[in-house]
mmCIF file of all heavy atoms in Angstrom:
data_model
loop_
_atom_site.group_PDB
_atom_site.id
_atom_site.type_symbol
_atom_site.label_atom_id
_atom_site.label_comp_id
_atom_site.label_asym_id
_atom_site.label_seq_id
_atom_site.Cartn_x
_atom_site.Cartn_y
_atom_site.Cartn_z
ATOM 1 N N VAL A 8 19.823 -10.945 -2.340
ATOM 2 C CA VAL A 8 19.653 -9.521 -2.662
ATOM 3 C C VAL A 8 18.223 -9.097 -2.481
ATOM 4 O O VAL A 8 17.867 -8.033 -2.862
ATOM 5 C CB VAL A 8 20.245 -9.153 -3.948
ATOM 6 C CG1 VAL A 8 21.693 -9.378 -4.081
ATOM 7 C CG2 VAL A 8 19.491 -9.922 -5.110
ATOM 8 N N GLY A 9 17.327 -9.949 -1.960
ATOM 9 C CA GLY A 9 15.927 -9.657 -1.927
ATOM 10 C C GLY A 9 15.356 -9.481 -0.551
ATOM 11 O O GLY A 9 14.092 -9.200 -0.368
ATOM 12 N N SER A 10 16.127 -9.594 0.493
ATOM 13 C CA SER A 10 15.540 -9.578 1.823
ATOM 14 C C SER A 10 15.628 -8.180 2.528
ATOM 15 O O SER A 10 15.014 -7.986 3.561
ATOM 16 C CB SER A 10 16.201 -10.593 2.728
ATOM 17 O OG SER A 10 17.641 -10.410 2.871
ATOM 18 N N ASP A 11 16.428 -7.284 1.985
ATOM 19 C CA ASP A 11 16.542 -5.919 2.586
ATOM 20 C C ASP A 11 15.143 -5.207 2.444
ATOM 21 O O ASP A 11 14.416 -5.505 1.466
ATOM 22 C CB ASP A 11 17.610 -5.119 1.922
ATOM 23 C CG ASP A 11 18.868 -5.146 2.825
ATOM 24 O OD1 ASP A 11 18.772 -5.481 3.978
ATOM 25 O OD2 ASP A 11 19.908 -4.644 2.303
ATOM 26 N N ARG A 12 14.884 -4.278 3.362
ATOM 27 C CA ARG A 12 13.581 -3.587 3.296
ATOM 28 C C ARG A 12 13.447 -2.744 2.074
ATOM 29 O O ARG A 12 14.460 -2.258 1.464
ATOM 30 C CB ARG A 12 13.452 -2.696 4.514
ATOM 31 C CG ARG A 12 13.426 -3.454 5.878
ATOM 32 C CD ARG A 12 13.344 -2.569 7.041
ATOM 33 N NE ARG A 12 12.059 -1.738 6.996
ATOM 34 C CZ ARG A 12 11.799 -0.751 7.823
ATOM 35 N NH1 ARG A 12 12.703 -0.461 8.769
ATOM 36 N NH2 ARG A 12 10.705 -0.113 7.770
ATOM 37 N N ALA A 13 12.206 -2.551 1.609
ATOM 38 C CA ALA A 13 11.877 -1.773 0.410
ATOM 39 C C ALA A 13 10.815 -0.739 0.779
ATOM 40 O O ALA A 13 10.223 -0.848 1.878
ATOM 41 C CB ALA A 13 11.470 -2.637 -0.748
ATOM 42 N N PHE A 14 10.567 0.165 -0.131
ATOM 43 C CA PHE A 14 9.470 1.180 0.062
ATOM 44 C C PHE A 14 9.658 2.044 1.298
ATOM 45 O O PHE A 14 8.736 2.340 1.960
ATOM 46 C CB PHE A 14 8.068 0.461 0.128
ATOM 47 C CG PHE A 14 7.827 -0.407 -1.107
ATOM 48 C CD1 PHE A 14 7.282 -1.631 -0.847
ATOM 49 C CD2 PHE A 14 8.116 -0.039 -2.341
ATOM 50 C CE1 PHE A 14 7.006 -2.522 -1.927
ATOM 51 C CE2 PHE A 14 7.873 -0.883 -3.383
ATOM 52 C CZ PHE A 14 7.276 -2.055 -3.209
ATOM 53 N N GLN A 15 10.916 2.256 1.700
ATOM 54 C CA GLN A 15 11.171 3.130 2.927
ATOM 55 C C GLN A 15 11.072 4.566 2.564
ATOM 56 O O GLN A 15 10.688 5.362 3.509
ATOM 57 C CB GLN A 15 12.595 2.783 3.443
ATOM 58 C CG GLN A 15 12.714 1.299 3.891
ATOM 59 C CD GLN A 15 14.144 1.135 4.559
ATOM 60 O OE1 GLN A 15 14.230 1.332 5.696
ATOM 61 N NE2 GLN A 15 15.069 0.798 3.762
ATOM 62 N N ASP A 16 11.320 4.982 1.314
ATOM 63 C CA ASP A 16 11.323 6.412 1.042
ATOM 64 C C ASP A 16 10.140 6.680 0.160
ATOM 65 O O ASP A 16 9.685 5.953 -0.723
ATOM 66 C CB ASP A 16 12.673 6.786 0.296
ATOM 67 C CG ASP A 16 13.864 6.545 1.118
ATOM 68 O OD1 ASP A 16 13.820 6.750 2.301
ATOM 69 O OD2 ASP A 16 14.895 6.082 0.499
ATOM 70 N N MET A 17 9.607 7.938 0.408
ATOM 71 C CA MET A 17 8.441 8.415 -0.395
ATOM 72 C C MET A 17 8.927 8.673 -1.844
ATOM 73 O O MET A 17 9.964 9.397 -2.039
ATOM 74 C CB MET A 17 7.965 9.746 0.213
ATOM 75 C CG MET A 17 6.837 10.432 -0.682
ATOM 76 S SD MET A 17 5.215 9.890 -0.319
ATOM 77 C CE MET A 17 5.051 10.524 1.347
ATOM 78 N N PRO A 18 8.343 7.990 -2.804
ATOM 79 C CA PRO A 18 8.816 8.254 -4.190
ATOM 80 C C PRO A 18 8.413 9.655 -4.682
ATOM 81 O O PRO A 18 7.437 10.272 -4.262
ATOM 82 C CB PRO A 18 7.948 7.201 -5.024
ATOM 83 C CG PRO A 18 6.749 6.896 -4.141
ATOM 84 C CD PRO A 18 7.201 7.064 -2.738
ATOM 85 N N THR A 19 9.250 10.229 -5.513
ATOM 86 C CA THR A 19 9.021 11.494 -6.080
ATOM 87 C C THR A 19 8.041 11.361 -7.220
ATOM 88 O O THR A 19 8.182 10.564 -8.187
ATOM 89 C CB THR A 19 10.299 12.133 -6.667
ATOM 90 O OG1 THR A 19 11.275 12.202 -5.578
ATOM 91 C CG2 THR A 19 10.090 13.522 -7.231
ATOM 92 N N ARG A 20 6.882 12.164 -7.174
ATOM 93 C CA ARG A 20 5.834 11.971 -8.155
ATOM 94 C C ARG A 20 5.561 13.370 -8.821
ATOM 95 O O ARG A 20 5.643 14.380 -8.166
ATOM 96 C CB ARG A 20 4.499 11.452 -7.551
ATOM 97 C CG ARG A 20 4.748 10.162 -6.759
ATOM 98 C CD ARG A 20 3.384 9.581 -6.459
ATOM 99 N NE ARG A 20 3.499 8.421 -5.556
ATOM 100 C CZ ARG A 20 3.897 7.171 -5.970
ATOM 101 N NH1 ARG A 20 4.180 7.019 -7.190
ATOM 102 N NH2 ARG A 20 4.020 6.200 -5.092
ATOM 103 N N GLY A 21 5.319 13.311 -10.100
ATOM 104 C CA GLY A 21 4.823 14.447 -10.840
ATOM 105 C C GLY A 21 3.420 14.856 -10.487
ATOM 106 O O GLY A 21 2.681 14.226 -9.767
ATOM 107 N N TRP A 22 2.989 15.998 -10.999
ATOM 108 C CA TRP A 22 1.690 16.537 -10.672
ATOM 109 C C TRP A 22 0.588 15.660 -11.189
ATOM 110 O O TRP A 22 -0.438 15.440 -10.561
ATOM 111 C CB TRP A 22 1.488 17.947 -11.212
ATOM 112 C CG TRP A 22 1.480 17.985 -12.760
ATOM 113 C CD1 TRP A 22 2.471 18.191 -13.581
ATOM 114 C CD2 TRP A 22 0.327 17.886 -13.602
ATOM 115 N NE1 TRP A 22 2.111 18.231 -14.897
ATOM 116 C CE2 TRP A 22 0.686 18.041 -14.917
ATOM 117 C CE3 TRP A 22 -1.087 17.656 -13.282
ATOM 118 C CZ2 TRP A 22 -0.146 17.972 -15.916
ATOM 119 C CZ3 TRP A 22 -1.943 17.626 -14.354
ATOM 120 C CH2 TRP A 22 -1.514 17.712 -15.692
ATOM 121 N N ARG A 23 0.797 14.917 -12.251
ATOM 122 C CA ARG A 23 -0.200 13.958 -12.802
ATOM 123 C C ARG A 23 -0.369 12.773 -11.770
ATOM 124 O O ARG A 23 -1.551 12.395 -11.504
ATOM 125 C CB ARG A 23 0.154 13.401 -14.175
ATOM 126 C CG ARG A 23 0.048 14.445 -15.267
ATOM 127 C CD ARG A 23 0.294 13.805 -16.617
ATOM 128 N NE ARG A 23 0.214 14.747 -17.710
ATOM 129 C CZ ARG A 23 1.246 15.408 -18.136
ATOM 130 N NH1 ARG A 23 2.473 15.308 -17.625
ATOM 131 N NH2 ARG A 23 1.128 16.301 -19.194
ATOM 132 N N GLY A 24 0.744 12.325 -11.262
ATOM 133 C CA GLY A 24 0.647 11.224 -10.368
ATOM 134 C C GLY A 24 -0.022 11.602 -9.065
ATOM 135 O O GLY A 24 -0.842 10.900 -8.481
ATOM 136 N N ARG A 25 0.348 12.853 -8.542
ATOM 137 C CA ARG A 25 -0.300 13.336 -7.343
ATOM 138 C C ARG A 25 -1.830 13.495 -7.593
ATOM 139 O O ARG A 25 -2.634 13.176 -6.713
ATOM 140 C CB ARG A 25 0.376 14.565 -6.852
ATOM 141 C CG ARG A 25 1.822 14.404 -6.486
ATOM 142 C CD ARG A 25 2.299 15.609 -5.702
ATOM 143 N NE ARG A 25 2.164 16.825 -6.483
ATOM 144 C CZ ARG A 25 3.133 17.250 -7.325
ATOM 145 N NH1 ARG A 25 4.265 16.546 -7.426
ATOM 146 N NH2 ARG A 25 3.014 18.415 -7.927
ATOM 147 N N LEU A 26 -2.258 14.057 -8.697
ATOM 148 C CA LEU A 26 -3.672 14.315 -9.000
ATOM 149 C C LEU A 26 -4.414 12.978 -9.193
ATOM 150 O O LEU A 26 -5.524 12.876 -8.534
ATOM 151 C CB LEU A 26 -3.743 15.121 -10.346
ATOM 152 C CG LEU A 26 -5.202 15.413 -10.740
ATOM 153 C CD1 LEU A 26 -5.900 16.206 -9.701
ATOM 154 C CD2 LEU A 26 -5.179 16.120 -12.134
ATOM 155 N N LEU A 27 -3.822 12.064 -9.884
ATOM 156 C CA LEU A 27 -4.519 10.734 -9.959
ATOM 157 C C LEU A 27 -4.753 10.068 -8.598
ATOM 158 O O LEU A 27 -5.819 9.567 -8.410
ATOM 159 C CB LEU A 27 -3.663 9.807 -10.856
ATOM 160 C CG LEU A 27 -4.210 8.446 -11.044
ATOM 161 C CD1 LEU A 27 -5.547 8.458 -11.785
ATOM 162 C CD2 LEU A 27 -3.270 7.582 -11.881
ATOM 163 N N ARG A 28 -3.799 10.148 -7.713
ATOM 164 C CA ARG A 28 -3.956 9.557 -6.397
ATOM 165 C C ARG A 28 -5.058 10.264 -5.609
ATOM 166 O O ARG A 28 -5.743 9.661 -4.781
ATOM 167 C CB ARG A 28 -2.614 9.467 -5.725
ATOM 168 C CG ARG A 28 -1.777 8.277 -6.062
ATOM 169 C CD ARG A 28 -0.329 8.342 -5.650
ATOM 170 N NE ARG A 28 0.307 7.088 -5.971
ATOM 171 C CZ ARG A 28 0.647 6.673 -7.191
ATOM 172 N NH1 ARG A 28 0.389 7.445 -8.239
ATOM 173 N NH2 ARG A 28 1.310 5.547 -7.387
ATOM 174 N N ARG A 29 -5.121 11.562 -5.783
ATOM 175 C CA ARG A 29 -6.230 12.298 -5.080
ATOM 176 C C ARG A 29 -7.562 11.879 -5.607
ATOM 177 O O ARG A 29 -8.519 11.685 -4.812
ATOM 178 C CB ARG A 29 -6.036 13.813 -5.259
ATOM 179 C CG ARG A 29 -4.840 14.372 -4.481
ATOM 180 C CD ARG A 29 -5.053 15.924 -4.361
ATOM 181 N NE ARG A 29 -3.786 16.539 -3.896
ATOM 182 C CZ ARG A 29 -2.890 17.107 -4.644
ATOM 183 N NH1 ARG A 29 -3.136 17.172 -5.985
ATOM 184 N NH2 ARG A 29 -1.852 17.691 -4.124
ATOM 185 N N LEU A 30 -7.599 11.672 -6.914
ATOM 186 C CA LEU A 30 -8.904 11.347 -7.531
ATOM 187 C C LEU A 30 -9.433 10.002 -7.055
ATOM 188 O O LEU A 30 -10.602 9.765 -6.890
ATOM 189 C CB LEU A 30 -8.783 11.400 -9.023
ATOM 190 C CG LEU A 30 -8.623 12.804 -9.628
ATOM 191 C CD1 LEU A 30 -8.397 12.689 -11.154
ATOM 192 C CD2 LEU A 30 -9.940 13.641 -9.335
ATOM 193 N N ILE A 31 -8.522 9.024 -6.949
ATOM 194 C CA ILE A 31 -8.906 7.696 -6.499
ATOM 195 C C ILE A 31 -8.750 7.451 -5.020
ATOM 196 O O ILE A 31 -9.067 6.285 -4.572
ATOM 197 C CB ILE A 31 -8.093 6.584 -7.259
ATOM 198 C CG1 ILE A 31 -6.610 6.747 -6.882
ATOM 199 C CG2 ILE A 31 -8.224 6.699 -8.776
ATOM 200 C CD1 ILE A 31 -5.659 5.543 -7.499
ATOM 201 N N GLY A 32 -8.364 8.484 -4.297
ATOM 202 C CA GLY A 32 -8.283 8.370 -2.830
ATOM 203 C C GLY A 32 -7.143 7.489 -2.311
ATOM 204 O O GLY A 32 -7.261 6.870 -1.264
ATOM 205 N N SER A 33 -6.025 7.460 -3.140
ATOM 206 C CA SER A 33 -4.936 6.582 -2.738
ATOM 207 C C SER A 33 -3.881 7.471 -2.042
ATOM 208 O O SER A 33 -3.680 8.568 -2.457
ATOM 209 C CB SER A 33 -4.324 5.968 -3.977
ATOM 210 O OG SER A 33 -3.172 5.206 -3.664
#
């Protein structure tokens, strides 16, 4: 159950998550 692809879809993030990623350039 571990060989299928992962991280294919963009995760839904709240405004805090989006802001933090902007601040650290991620």
Side-chain angles (χ1 to χ4, degrees):
V8 296
S10 59
D11 262 346
R12 297 178 62 185
F14 307 134
Q15 296 185 90
D16 300 322
M17 173 90 66
T19 301
R20 305 194 187 282
W22 67 269
R23 289 188 180 87
R25 296 194 301 271
L26 177 61
L27 178 60
R28 278 166 172 74
R29 287 199 193 98
L30 289 175
I31 65 175
S33 174

